Amino acid sequence: MEVKKMPSFPEKFLWGASTAAYQVEGAYLEEGKSLSVVDESIAPEYADTSIASDHYHRFKEDVSLMKELGLKAYRFSIAWTRILPNGRGQVNQAGVDFYNELIDELVNNQIEPIVTIYHFDLPVVLQKEYGGFSSRKIIPDFIEYCRVLFELFGDRVNYWLTINEQSNMFLLPYLISFTENSDQSKLKQKYEMNHIMTLAHASAVKLCHELLPNAKIGPALGISPIYPKTCDPKDILAAEKAEELRNTFFLELYCNGRYLPTMQAYMRGNDCLPTIEAGDLTLIKEGKCDFLGINYYDSKTVEHVTEQDRTKELVINKDGQAGTTEKEVVEGVYKGCSNPYLERNDWDWEIDPIGLRVTLNRIYQRYQLPLLITENGVGAIDTLTEEKKIHDTYRSDYLKKHVEQVCFAIVQDGIEIFGFCPWSFIDLVSTTSGFRKRYGFVYVDRTDTALRELTRHRKDSFYWYQGVIRSNGKVL
């Protein structure tokens, strides 16, 4: 039974918004910063990360807009390459100064900084030197990077996110860098890198607890609940296996420090079991996180595979031409399909607000850790009118339905959720679609090919979210 009247959220609920360094900052080679692998991965037909939204030079203007919006929290990432341009060693003081000023500006405006330590931006120098996360050499470098951040910014940052979407990095190959000329299959490389990344995460959690005992730290996981296409037991089994492969596998590593027996069997059967050294599992268990960040956009639906179905990687829709996504197939496990009960946006992402509540229930019932919504939003082609307005009611409608489900999860299901940080505060470079695909409450006047003045404009959704925050969710 649904709530008739929307109650308010918890008194100190963190109404926020999110961005990532490489997508918003720009200045990608300024004042000592080096390139990251993601700086080099943006397709040439889209805006690159050299200027992006120019947040690096306009952060005070942007924080002023955050204050006007009413944000209680701002989730952003720190660029490893801006702090340690060589991946380790000499600290870049200009980068330190930028983040000190940004954090001070947030704190002075009563906005809680929530810092993502790693958001896809591995230093190119480390990828070239030893293959990045394909080598255990990255663990001491990552720990050194974390130590620098904790010591420099830990006096003002109370919430830390270790790694953004580790799960998606292994489900979407364009988010990670494979080692060239490796004698391992890509699948084997994926699971080796996943294990090493999990060790890096656990090491960061332990170090944070040691250096900042009053701070909270956890991962930000990209999660999509999996549904069976039908009630055919074959489809239900396929959905169970897909849920293990896409979601539970990572959650169990983070929360319980273990490899699921079913996943061990899958990895052995596909010759992709990672190298687990003495002490690895102990370290993973010791890296117990304080909360979980949840990035939620859509749900997935699967059906059983036949003997004729062969493995096929997901082909994503990059241009907003509806119907161009090609669903993935994992041979012998599941086959992706569409859900006839859900609407889709122009990028073929199925819109499923209730799926967010399903996700929150599944995770909280199993792990009983506090939850923070670290991303949720809808990408769209926004139009700036002659009057400099952006009428994005589709964005407000999408977020309204999802925030309602967060409220139901808190009030009806008893789930501890302490914040909601939709993607994104401001328009930024979409990793796959540039500035064609926009997410922000604030419009940035530029395109992929025309820089223009980068003027900020408040969208209609800006004023909608402002009202939600001001009323603590009562005006939904």
Side-chain angles (χ1 to χ4, degrees):
M1 186 171 109
E2 300 291 9
V3 176
K4 297 290 185 183
K5 182 180 178 182
M6 186 64 64
S8 64
F9 282 71
E11 183 179 350
K12 295 183 179 180
F13 193 76
L14 292 178
W15 294 102
S18 296
T19 66
Y22 76 92
Q23 293 173 278
V24 74
E25 285 180 4
Y28 77 159
L29 283 176
E30 288 187 32
E31 298 188 300
K33 184 185 177 297
S34 66
L35 290 177
S36 71
V37 294
V38 76
D39 288 325
E40 295 188 330
S41 69
I42 304 294
E45 62 265 32
Y46 303 119
D48 62 23
T49 61
S50 60
I51 296 174
S53 306
D54 200 32
H55 178 68
Y56 186 79
H57 298 113
R58 299 169 186 245
F59 72 91
K60 288 189 178 182
E61 176 187 358
D62 292 341
V63 173
S64 178
L65 284 166
M66 294 177 201
K67 179 69 172 178
E68 180 185 341
L69 181 55
L71 293 190
K72 308 299 182 186
Y74 173 49
R75 180 215 168 190
F76 63 98
S77 71
I78 289 178
W80 187 343
T81 49
R82 201 177 291 285
I83 297 295
L84 296 169
N86 294 316
R88 58 180 176 272
Q90 184 66 38
V91 174
N92 178 32
Q93 189 58 47
V96 172
D97 292 344
F98 168 70
Y99 290 113
N100 267 327
E101 290 184 42
L102 172 59
I103 291 168
D104 285 346
E105 195 75 11
L106 293 168
V107 172
N108 291 338
N109 283 281
Q110 294 78 52
I111 300 170
E112 186 82 44
I114 300 173
V115 171
T116 308
I117 295 169
Y118 181 80
H119 197 126
F120 307 155
D121 49 1
L122 175 73
V124 167
V125 291
L126 299 186
Q127 178 64 32
K128 289 182 176 178
E129 181 182 338
Y130 51 67
F133 278 101
S134 65
S135 169
R136 286 177 178 254
K137 292 179 181 179
I138 200 168
I139 297 173
D141 287 343
F142 186 74
I143 294 171
E144 178 185 343
Y145 167 53
C146 291
R147 183 181 295 276
V148 170
L149 299 192
F150 296 152
E151 290 179 348
L152 288 173
F153 311 122
D155 59 328
R156 288 153 292 160
V157 177
N158 301 307
Y159 295 97
W160 297 87
L161 295 158
T162 54
I163 294 172
N164 181 72
E165 293 187 349
Q166 180 173 334
S167 52
N168 283 353
M169 277 185 264
F170 299 95
L171 297 167
L172 303 172
Y174 61 83
L175 294 176
I176 55 174
S177 298
F178 293 103
T179 302
E180 296 181 7
N181 303 317
S182 173
D183 58 359
Q184 295 179 341
S185 68
K186 280 193 174 181
L187 194 62
K188 174 71 169 175
Q189 286 189 62
K190 282 184 184 182
Y191 283 95
E192 289 285 358
M193 284 191 281
N194 181 70
H195 182 72
I196 292 167
M197 194 171 280
T198 303
L199 294 172
H201 155 83
S203 300
V205 171
K206 287 188 66 178
L207 184 63
C208 183
H209 289 159
E210 174 190 330
L211 298 181
L212 306 173
N214 295 321
K216 304 295 183 185
I217 188 167
L221 275 166
I223 298 288
S224 295
I226 309 298
Y227 305 147
K229 181 180 180 180
T230 71
C231 56
D232 183 334
K234 292 179 181 178
D235 287 347
I236 292 171
L237 180 61
E240 290 288 323
K241 292 298 183 184
E243 182 74 23
E244 288 177 4
L245 198 64
R246 298 181 62 99
N247 299 323
T248 314
F249 171 58
F250 303 97
L251 285 162
E252 283 292 317
L253 284 171
Y254 280 139
C255 299
N256 289 328
R258 71 176 186 131
Y259 280 94
L260 289 170
T262 48
M263 283 301 304
Q264 291 182 51
Y266 170 82
M267 291 185 290
R268 287 193 190 95
N270 288 275
D271 192 27
C272 59
L273 192 69
T275 303
I276 301 175
E277 296 182 0
D280 282 1
L281 296 181
T282 298
L283 171 59
I284 294 172
K285 281 183 179 293
E286 289 173 348
K288 181 73 173 178
C289 48
D290 303 305
F291 68 95
L292 292 171
I294 305 298
N295 295 355
Y296 176 84
Y297 292 93
D298 61 2
S299 57
K300 307 293 184 190
T301 302
V302 303
E303 59 184 318
H304 72 281
V305 296
T306 68
E307 292 182 359
Q308 286 73 42
D309 291 318
R310 296 290 177 258
T311 293
K312 178 183 178 183
E313 288 188 348
L314 173 69
V315 177
I316 64 170
N317 172 350
K318 296 182 178 181
D319 297 320
Q321 300 296 320
T324 57
T325 296
E326 296 181 29
K327 305 287 187 178
E328 69 177 339
V329 178
V330 178
E331 193 170 331
V333 185
Y334 67 86
K335 178 167 64 176
C337 58
S338 296
N339 189 326
Y341 297 97
L342 298 176
E343 295 181 0
R344 300 166 195 63
N345 67 14
D346 288 338
W347 274 263
D348 297 321
W349 294 28
E350 293 176 330
I351 300 171
D352 184 11
I354 293 175
L356 175 54
R357 186 176 175 185
V358 170
T359 296
L360 297 170
N361 270 272
R362 285 180 178 177
I363 294 174
Y364 191 74
Q365 287 179 21
R366 181 172 288 152
Y367 303 108
Q368 295 183 13
L369 284 170
L371 304 178
L372 171 66
I373 313 299
T374 38
E375 289 183 27
N376 175 239
V378 60
I381 300 172
D382 295 339
T383 301
L384 182 67
T385 69
E386 292 184 2
E387 297 78 25
K388 306 301 181 183
K389 303 291 184 182
I390 304 94
H391 302 304
D392 59 337
T393 53
Y394 41 84
R395 181 166 290 109
S396 303
D397 182 62
Y398 174 98
L399 289 169
K400 175 181 181 292
K401 292 175 181 177
H402 285 77
V403 173
E404 285 175 344
Q405 294 302 320
V406 173
C407 188
F408 295 150
I410 294 171
V411 176
Q412 294 190 334
D413 305 330
I415 298 173
E416 185 180 355
I417 305 166
F418 63 92
F420 178 75
C421 296
W423 188 267
S424 55
F425 164 67
I426 193 168
D427 287 345
L428 36 67
V429 178
S430 166
T431 308
T432 59
S433 305
F435 274 90
R436 177 178 175 81
K437 185 182 186 183
R438 296 175 182 262
Y439 283 90
F441 294 114
V442 176
Y443 185 93
V444 177
D445 190 9
R446 66 158 298 174
T447 68
D448 288 321
T449 55
L451 193 58
R452 297 178 180 168
E453 298 298 320
L454 297 162
T455 308
R456 275 68 167 138
H457 298 283
R458 300 159 186 82
K459 302 180 187 180
D460 287 355
S461 61
F462 179 100
Y463 298 106
W464 170 82
Y465 194 42
Q466 185 182 60
V468 171
I469 297 171
R470 187 178 293 147
S471 69
N472 200 27
K474 287 183 179 179
V475 301
L476 286 170

